[in-house]
Amino acid sequence: MSQKPFILIADDDQEDRYLLHTAFEEIGRSNDIYLVENGLQVFKYLDTSIEQSGMPSLIVLDLNMPFLNGMETLSRLKAHNLYKNIPVIMFTTSVHEVEKAKCLEIGAVDFIKKPARFQQTISTAKFLHESAIGSQQTELER
């Protein structure tokens, strides 16, 4: 696990990635995130960058992405020996109770709705950063 919290975020929407990056800049934590566009890129990043960057403290997945959606990515992460203990938060525009229940059953630690306003995005960035710190502390206690 890396020394500082590090969050890998997968979202296919360019505007949502921009807003998240800007929100993390606002809280002074833009260097603590890495943004990709889909689940395939999550695995590409993990498989090629983990030795240099360390294991992410947290992975945030948009539910609806092309190639490998959030639920499929979550399932593969939780089935993988190296990645199964990385906490995952699902991040989506709409919260359907069935999808939420399924993601939590598979192993997501939380399921949050994408904010409608930028100020809420800043609050979400703070929440994600605090979650990454919390997961890091939990890992250190093991």
Side-chain angles (χ1 to χ4, degrees):
M1 181 135 326
S2 61
Q3 296 287 68
K4 67 177 187 164
F6 178 69
I7 306 168
L8 178 60
I9 302 171
D11 194 318
D12 65 314
D13 187 287
Q14 184 176 359
E15 185 175 327
D16 287 344
R17 287 193 313 275
Y18 172 79
L19 290 172
L20 274 172
H21 185 269
T22 304
F24 274 93
E25 281 181 333
E26 284 284 320
I27 64 168
R29 298 294 179 187
S30 62
N31 290 333
D32 296 349
I33 64 170
Y34 188 81
L35 297 155
V36 296
E37 295 180 23
N38 59 58
L40 291 178
Q41 290 181 356
V42 166
F43 286 100
K44 181 178 179 184
Y45 176 85
L46 291 172
D47 293 340
T48 60
S49 302
I50 245 173
E51 287 187 24
Q52 294 173 339
S53 305
M55 197 75 76
S57 310
L58 176 68
I59 296 175
V60 178
L61 299 174
D62 180 20
L63 194 57
N64 299 308
M65 299 182 289
F67 308 114
L68 192 61
N69 72 36
M71 198 175 304
E72 294 165 334
T73 304
L74 174 65
S75 294
R76 289 187 187 186
L77 285 166
K78 295 304 171 185
H80 195 287
N81 281 338
L82 283 177
Y83 310 139
K84 67 183 177 185
N85 293 321
I86 303 171
V88 177
I89 293 178
M90 305 307 290
F91 190 59
T92 186
T93 53
S94 60
V95 178
H96 297 286
E97 289 304 314
V98 173
E99 289 175 330
K100 179 178 179 178
K102 182 70 175 166
C103 289
L104 294 173
E105 179 184 310
I106 293 168
V109 296
D110 208 343
F111 193 104
I112 58 177
K113 187 172 169 119
K114 289 182 180 180
R117 302 191 190 292
F118 184 66
Q119 196 60 41
Q120 294 169 320
T121 305
I122 292 172
S123 296
T124 299
K126 289 177 184 175
F127 171 78
L128 293 173
H129 189 260
E130 289 167 10
S131 296
I133 290 171
S135 71
Q136 211 172 22
Q137 290 170 341
T138 302
E139 186 65 26
L140 291 173
E141 292 168 2
R142 287 188 192 176

PDB file of all heavy atoms in Angstrom, residues 7 20 23-24 27 120-130:
ATOM      1  N   ILE A   7      -6.395   7.172  -5.234  1.00  0.00           N
ATOM      2  CA  ILE A   7      -7.708   6.735  -5.705  1.00  0.00           C
ATOM      3  C   ILE A   7      -7.683   6.552  -7.217  1.00  0.00           C
ATOM      4  O   ILE A   7      -7.331   7.475  -7.957  1.00  0.00           O
ATOM      5  CB  ILE A   7      -8.792   7.770  -5.327  1.00  0.00           C
ATOM      6  CG1 ILE A   7      -8.761   8.058  -3.830  1.00  0.00           C
ATOM      7  CG2 ILE A   7     -10.169   7.269  -5.763  1.00  0.00           C
ATOM      8  CD1 ILE A   7      -9.587   9.266  -3.418  1.00  0.00           C
ATOM      9  N   LEU A  20     -14.650  15.837 -11.536  1.00  0.00           N
ATOM     10  CA  LEU A  20     -13.985  15.183 -10.411  1.00  0.00           C
ATOM     11  C   LEU A  20     -12.549  15.682 -10.251  1.00  0.00           C
ATOM     12  O   LEU A  20     -12.110  15.983  -9.140  1.00  0.00           O
ATOM     13  CB  LEU A  20     -13.990  13.659 -10.594  1.00  0.00           C
ATOM     14  CG  LEU A  20     -15.228  12.937 -10.100  1.00  0.00           C
ATOM     15  CD1 LEU A  20     -15.186  11.480 -10.527  1.00  0.00           C
ATOM     16  CD2 LEU A  20     -15.362  13.048  -8.586  1.00  0.00           C
ATOM     17  N   ALA A  23     -12.644  19.093  -8.822  1.00  0.00           N
ATOM     18  CA  ALA A  23     -13.019  19.052  -7.404  1.00  0.00           C
ATOM     19  C   ALA A  23     -11.832  18.609  -6.542  1.00  0.00           C
ATOM     20  O   ALA A  23     -11.581  19.184  -5.473  1.00  0.00           O
ATOM     21  CB  ALA A  23     -14.202  18.116  -7.197  1.00  0.00           C
ATOM     22  N   PHE A  24     -11.083  17.628  -7.015  1.00  0.00           N
ATOM     23  CA  PHE A  24      -9.896  17.194  -6.268  1.00  0.00           C
ATOM     24  C   PHE A  24      -8.832  18.294  -6.263  1.00  0.00           C
ATOM     25  O   PHE A  24      -8.113  18.448  -5.279  1.00  0.00           O
ATOM     26  CB  PHE A  24      -9.350  15.874  -6.813  1.00  0.00           C
ATOM     27  CG  PHE A  24     -10.017  14.669  -6.206  1.00  0.00           C
ATOM     28  CD1 PHE A  24     -11.111  14.086  -6.821  1.00  0.00           C
ATOM     29  CD2 PHE A  24      -9.559  14.124  -5.013  1.00  0.00           C
ATOM     30  CE1 PHE A  24     -11.738  12.979  -6.256  1.00  0.00           C
ATOM     31  CE2 PHE A  24     -10.177  13.022  -4.445  1.00  0.00           C
ATOM     32  CZ  PHE A  24     -11.278  12.446  -5.066  1.00  0.00           C
ATOM     33  N   ILE A  27      -9.667  20.749  -3.494  1.00  0.00           N
ATOM     34  CA  ILE A  27      -9.328  20.336  -2.121  1.00  0.00           C
ATOM     35  C   ILE A  27      -7.827  20.027  -1.987  1.00  0.00           C
ATOM     36  O   ILE A  27      -7.385  19.524  -0.960  1.00  0.00           O
ATOM     37  CB  ILE A  27     -10.185  19.137  -1.650  1.00  0.00           C
ATOM     38  CG1 ILE A  27      -9.923  17.877  -2.465  1.00  0.00           C
ATOM     39  CG2 ILE A  27     -11.663  19.519  -1.653  1.00  0.00           C
ATOM     40  CD1 ILE A  27     -10.514  16.613  -1.866  1.00  0.00           C
ATOM     41  N   GLN A 120     -21.385  20.092  -4.573  1.00  0.00           N
ATOM     42  CA  GLN A 120     -21.586  18.721  -4.086  1.00  0.00           C
ATOM     43  C   GLN A 120     -20.458  17.808  -4.581  1.00  0.00           C
ATOM     44  O   GLN A 120     -20.068  16.868  -3.890  1.00  0.00           O
ATOM     45  CB  GLN A 120     -22.937  18.181  -4.563  1.00  0.00           C
ATOM     46  CG  GLN A 120     -24.122  18.908  -3.974  1.00  0.00           C
ATOM     47  CD  GLN A 120     -25.418  18.527  -4.676  1.00  0.00           C
ATOM     48  OE1 GLN A 120     -25.465  18.382  -5.902  1.00  0.00           O
ATOM     49  NE2 GLN A 120     -26.474  18.373  -3.890  1.00  0.00           N
ATOM     50  N   THR A 121     -19.933  18.089  -5.765  1.00  0.00           N
ATOM     51  CA  THR A 121     -18.806  17.308  -6.284  1.00  0.00           C
ATOM     52  C   THR A 121     -17.578  17.512  -5.410  1.00  0.00           C
ATOM     53  O   THR A 121     -16.827  16.573  -5.141  1.00  0.00           O
ATOM     54  CB  THR A 121     -18.508  17.678  -7.754  1.00  0.00           C
ATOM     55  OG1 THR A 121     -19.699  17.507  -8.526  1.00  0.00           O
ATOM     56  CG2 THR A 121     -17.416  16.802  -8.344  1.00  0.00           C
ATOM     57  N   ILE A 122     -17.386  18.726  -4.938  1.00  0.00           N
ATOM     58  CA  ILE A 122     -16.275  18.994  -4.009  1.00  0.00           C
ATOM     59  C   ILE A 122     -16.478  18.192  -2.720  1.00  0.00           C
ATOM     60  O   ILE A 122     -15.538  17.567  -2.210  1.00  0.00           O
ATOM     61  CB  ILE A 122     -16.146  20.504  -3.722  1.00  0.00           C
ATOM     62  CG1 ILE A 122     -15.695  21.236  -4.992  1.00  0.00           C
ATOM     63  CG2 ILE A 122     -15.156  20.763  -2.577  1.00  0.00           C
ATOM     64  CD1 ILE A 122     -15.726  22.751  -4.885  1.00  0.00           C
ATOM     65  N   SER A 123     -17.698  18.174  -2.209  1.00  0.00           N
ATOM     66  CA  SER A 123     -17.994  17.375  -1.010  1.00  0.00           C
ATOM     67  C   SER A 123     -17.753  15.888  -1.274  1.00  0.00           C
ATOM     68  O   SER A 123     -17.237  15.175  -0.414  1.00  0.00           O
ATOM     69  CB  SER A 123     -19.442  17.590  -0.565  1.00  0.00           C
ATOM     70  OG  SER A 123     -19.644  18.920  -0.180  1.00  0.00           O
ATOM     71  N   THR A 124     -18.122  15.431  -2.463  1.00  0.00           N
ATOM     72  CA  THR A 124     -17.886  14.035  -2.834  1.00  0.00           C
ATOM     73  C   THR A 124     -16.391  13.744  -2.892  1.00  0.00           C
ATOM     74  O   THR A 124     -15.936  12.698  -2.417  1.00  0.00           O
ATOM     75  CB  THR A 124     -18.557  13.711  -4.187  1.00  0.00           C
ATOM     76  OG1 THR A 124     -19.964  13.919  -4.060  1.00  0.00           O
ATOM     77  CG2 THR A 124     -18.281  12.288  -4.623  1.00  0.00           C
ATOM     78  N   ALA A 125     -15.607  14.655  -3.456  1.00  0.00           N
ATOM     79  CA  ALA A 125     -14.155  14.477  -3.511  1.00  0.00           C
ATOM     80  C   ALA A 125     -13.583  14.365  -2.103  1.00  0.00           C
ATOM     81  O   ALA A 125     -12.729  13.506  -1.831  1.00  0.00           O
ATOM     82  CB  ALA A 125     -13.501  15.625  -4.280  1.00  0.00           C
ATOM     83  N   LYS A 126     -14.046  15.208  -1.190  1.00  0.00           N
ATOM     84  CA  LYS A 126     -13.600  15.135   0.206  1.00  0.00           C
ATOM     85  C   LYS A 126     -13.968  13.780   0.811  1.00  0.00           C
ATOM     86  O   LYS A 126     -13.157  13.153   1.495  1.00  0.00           O
ATOM     87  CB  LYS A 126     -14.220  16.262   1.039  1.00  0.00           C
ATOM     88  CG  LYS A 126     -13.667  17.626   0.723  1.00  0.00           C
ATOM     89  CD  LYS A 126     -14.383  18.702   1.539  1.00  0.00           C
ATOM     90  CE  LYS A 126     -13.911  20.092   1.168  1.00  0.00           C
ATOM     91  NZ  LYS A 126     -14.675  21.149   1.848  1.00  0.00           N
ATOM     92  N   PHE A 127     -15.206  13.339   0.560  1.00  0.00           N
ATOM     93  CA  PHE A 127     -15.660  12.048   1.075  1.00  0.00           C
ATOM     94  C   PHE A 127     -14.799  10.907   0.534  1.00  0.00           C
ATOM     95  O   PHE A 127     -14.393  10.019   1.278  1.00  0.00           O
ATOM     96  CB  PHE A 127     -17.136  11.810   0.719  1.00  0.00           C
ATOM     97  CG  PHE A 127     -17.612  10.430   1.023  1.00  0.00           C
ATOM     98  CD1 PHE A 127     -17.924  10.055   2.326  1.00  0.00           C
ATOM     99  CD2 PHE A 127     -17.741   9.489   0.008  1.00  0.00           C
ATOM    100  CE1 PHE A 127     -18.350   8.766   2.616  1.00  0.00           C
ATOM    101  CE2 PHE A 127     -18.165   8.200   0.277  1.00  0.00           C
ATOM    102  CZ  PHE A 127     -18.472   7.837   1.586  1.00  0.00           C
ATOM    103  N   LEU A 128     -14.528  10.920  -0.774  1.00  0.00           N
ATOM    104  CA  LEU A 128     -13.713   9.863  -1.379  1.00  0.00           C
ATOM    105  C   LEU A 128     -12.303   9.875  -0.806  1.00  0.00           C
ATOM    106  O   LEU A 128     -11.732   8.825  -0.509  1.00  0.00           O
ATOM    107  CB  LEU A 128     -13.695  10.010  -2.902  1.00  0.00           C
ATOM    108  CG  LEU A 128     -15.031   9.776  -3.606  1.00  0.00           C
ATOM    109  CD1 LEU A 128     -14.927  10.115  -5.089  1.00  0.00           C
ATOM    110  CD2 LEU A 128     -15.525   8.345  -3.406  1.00  0.00           C
ATOM    111  N   HIS A 129     -11.732  11.063  -0.637  1.00  0.00           N
ATOM    112  CA  HIS A 129     -10.386  11.163  -0.075  1.00  0.00           C
ATOM    113  C   HIS A 129     -10.367  10.633   1.361  1.00  0.00           C
ATOM    114  O   HIS A 129      -9.472   9.874   1.740  1.00  0.00           O
ATOM    115  CB  HIS A 129      -9.880  12.606  -0.135  1.00  0.00           C
ATOM    116  CG  HIS A 129      -8.450  12.722   0.228  1.00  0.00           C
ATOM    117  ND1 HIS A 129      -8.037  13.115   1.475  1.00  0.00           N
ATOM    118  CD2 HIS A 129      -7.321  12.447  -0.479  1.00  0.00           C
ATOM    119  CE1 HIS A 129      -6.716  13.091   1.527  1.00  0.00           C
ATOM    120  NE2 HIS A 129      -6.268  12.685   0.350  1.00  0.00           N
ATOM    121  N   GLU A 130     -11.357  11.004   2.154  1.00  0.00           N
ATOM    122  CA  GLU A 130     -11.439  10.501   3.527  1.00  0.00           C
ATOM    123  C   GLU A 130     -11.646   8.991   3.548  1.00  0.00           C
ATOM    124  O   GLU A 130     -11.086   8.296   4.399  1.00  0.00           O
ATOM    125  CB  GLU A 130     -12.565  11.214   4.277  1.00  0.00           C
ATOM    126  CG  GLU A 130     -12.245  12.666   4.574  1.00  0.00           C
ATOM    127  CD  GLU A 130     -13.449  13.476   5.036  1.00  0.00           C
ATOM    128  OE1 GLU A 130     -14.524  12.881   5.323  1.00  0.00           O
ATOM    129  OE2 GLU A 130     -13.323  14.708   5.105  1.00  0.00           O
TER     130      GLU A 130
END
